[in-house]
Amino acid sequence: LSLGDAATKHPLVIELASIRARTLKERTYGGAPAFSWRMPNAIFPGSQGQAVNHFLRGDSKAQIFDDFNGIGHARNWASKYYGYARGGYSAEAEEGGRGNGAYVTVTKT
């Protein structure tokens, strides 16, 4: 779909571009922003939500979660909530261990 030059003259397009340019200028004043693993808008919907949200919104790249009653529970949790971007976060999960020692390592992507 091509709107041509007419779209660039539309008042709403001009206003949106102006707002975006101002925002980018404010955010890059003094140089490009430093890289961060923080995902400040993350909303994790699953069990262990408080701990997971704390991790996702923090600086760490990876964390182990171990409140599972077995490897099946860990596998289910990992496949249900990770592997694709959603809820303001993007991360992968890998389960391990067995029995009460089951755990999931979550790595931000």
Side-chain angles (χ1 to χ4, degrees):
L1 176 66
S2 176
L3 300 174
D5 291 337
T8 62
K9 294 179 174 60
H10 192 284
L12 291 176
V13 173
I14 293 169
E15 182 181 0
L16 179 62
S18 175
I19 291 168
R20 184 67 181 143
R22 189 169 45 253
T23 300
L24 287 171
K25 186 175 182 179
E26 291 169 1
R27 289 187 181 176
T28 58
Y29 179 77
F35 177 81
S36 171
W37 283 110
R38 290 178 182 228
M39 299 179 185
N41 299 319
I43 299 172
F44 183 76
S47 60
Q48 303 188 48
Q50 187 173 358
V52 176
N53 279 323
H54 181 75
F55 158 67
L56 292 171
R57 295 171 185 165
D59 291 319
S60 299
K61 181 180 179 182
Q63 184 167 326
I64 295 173
F65 295 90
D66 59 6
D67 190 19
F68 303 102
N69 59 20
I71 191 64
H73 184 203
R75 268 192 201 114
N76 181 55
W77 189 79
S79 67
K80 187 174 182 179
Y81 298 111
Y82 299 98
Y84 49 90
R86 69 187 247 171
Y89 69 91
S90 176
E92 296 176 340
E94 184 174 344
E95 68 278 350
R98 64 169 75 149
N100 289 336
Y103 62 90
V104 175
T105 302
V106 177
T107 305
K108 295 175 187 174
T109 54

